Amino acid sequence: MIVCPNCNHQNPEGATQCESCYTPLPTTTSCPNCGATVQADASFCGQCGYNLLPTPEGEENQNPDLIPTVVPPLPDLVFPDPIPDEEVATVASNPNSAVNLQKSTPDPSLASPQPDPDPAPDPDPDPDPDPIPDPIPDPDPVQPPTQSTVPPQPDPIFPSPPPVANVGTPATQLQQQTVKLVHVQSQTLLEIPQNLPVIHIGKPNDLVPPDIDVSGFANAEIVSRTHANIRPEGDAYYIEDVGSSNGTYINNIPLPKGNRHRLRPGDRIALGKGDMVSFIFQLS
């Protein structure tokens, strides 16, 4: 079925204009990822979130996250000059060359002259040498007075100071974003559940139970049981209509089925016509 964006009348597949108000109907196509029916000018699939924008030529297989690696050119290798064959043959045939490591015998004729030894002294002609006096004994050395040995004193032990209570500021805690919807008609505050991939908005049913139940608000009869979904993606939140009977309006502009809108603080979300069940999106 194709829903008219002007009067929300459900028209059969293939219709080009609304059977009720004769408004031209948007063309539809199938999502290449999940096969769901989406408008031809839609940017994303409302069922699986697939990107429907065409890819420019030459960029199909390019990954923007990959950074090309630039390899610097390697310098040319420098090889040493080879030894000529004539020098190799000369060294191999000459045993007295520098390659031979045997120590040569020194020439005795080139040795430095040694001095002549001293001549032996003549013997003393005097047979009676002078008597040698007795040696004088050395006096006993004076011993220095001994000092009394003082035992080492132990190091003083000081008592450890009492522990100081930590009166500093407490550890900083990570702040988490809080997403809320404020009901315009009753000023009721609804907090959007965290850690959910999809938040369903509607009324109780057996197929898809709502995460945000609006059945308790006034004029809830214009809201479908499965009316709209909010999808968190990182720090952003997107809302999409999932085929409601009376449509979803963002800032009084109808949101076509299959398209989604990025919510910003202060956006007004109306479920159904007439702005009778409306919410203000808040992010803190």
Side-chain angles (χ1 to χ4, degrees):
M1 302 297 292
I2 303 176
V3 180
C4 177
N6 185 34
C7 65
N8 291 327
H9 178 74
Q10 295 185 358
N11 299 276
E13 296 290 342
T16 59
Q17 63 181 4
C18 179
E19 297 176 346
S20 177
C21 64
Y22 302 101
T23 300
L25 299 176
T27 58
T28 60
T29 183
S30 298
C31 175
N33 185 38
C34 65
T37 302
V38 297
Q39 294 185 7
D41 58 347
S43 302
F44 297 88
C45 176
Q47 187 67 23
C48 64
Y50 182 78
N51 185 9
L52 300 176
L53 294 177
T55 305
E57 295 183 0
E59 299 182 359
E60 290 83 355
N61 297 327
Q62 294 183 2
N63 191 348
D65 296 334
L66 297 180
I67 301 176
T69 303
V70 179
V71 179
L74 296 177
D76 297 334
L77 297 179
V78 178
F79 296 96
D81 296 334
I83 301 176
D85 296 339
E86 293 80 6
E87 295 183 5
V88 175
T90 303
V91 172
S93 60
N94 187 5
N96 295 327
S97 62
V99 180
N100 188 3
L101 300 178
Q102 294 182 356
K103 187 176 181 180
S104 59
T105 304
D107 190 358
S109 62
L110 300 178
S112 59
Q114 299 294 332
D116 295 337
D118 295 336
D122 296 337
D124 189 1
D126 189 2
D128 295 332
D130 295 334
I132 299 175
D134 296 334
I136 301 174
D138 295 333
D140 295 335
V142 178
Q143 297 293 337
T146 58
Q147 298 179 357
S148 60
T149 303
V150 179
Q153 297 294 331
D155 296 335
I157 300 176
F158 299 98
S160 58
V164 179
N166 186 8
V167 295
T169 58
T172 304
Q173 297 180 355
L174 295 178
Q175 297 181 356
Q176 188 175 8
Q177 287 185 346
T178 303
V179 185
K180 300 178 182 179
L181 294 178
V182 180
H183 185 235
V184 177
Q185 287 74 21
S186 65
Q187 295 300 313
T188 303
L189 190 64
L190 301 178
E191 186 171 349
I192 295 180
Q194 300 291 330
N195 302 324
L196 290 179
V198 180
I199 296 96
H200 303 285
I201 304 175
K203 295 184 295 186
N205 62 89
D206 297 333
L207 183 61
V208 182
D211 300 307
I212 298 179
D213 186 3
V214 299
S215 60
F217 296 112
N219 303 315
E221 62 274 5
I222 67 173
V223 181
S224 301
R225 291 182 175 86
T226 55
H227 197 105
N229 290 340
I230 293 179
R231 295 178 180 269
E233 295 183 5
D235 296 335
Y237 289 82
Y238 295 87
I239 187 171
E240 58 186 356
D241 188 276
V242 293
S244 62
S245 300
N246 295 316
T248 302
Y249 296 81
I250 307 297
N251 300 325
N252 299 322
I253 299 176
L255 179 64
K257 178 184 176 182
N259 290 4
R260 65 179 187 172
H261 170 78
R262 179 173 180 176
L263 293 171
R264 293 172 175 81
D267 281 352
R268 188 184 186 97
I269 305 170
L271 304 179
K273 301 178 181 179
D275 198 25
M276 294 185 292
V277 182
S278 305
F279 298 89
I280 300 297
F281 179 78
Q282 291 185 354
L283 183 63
S284 61

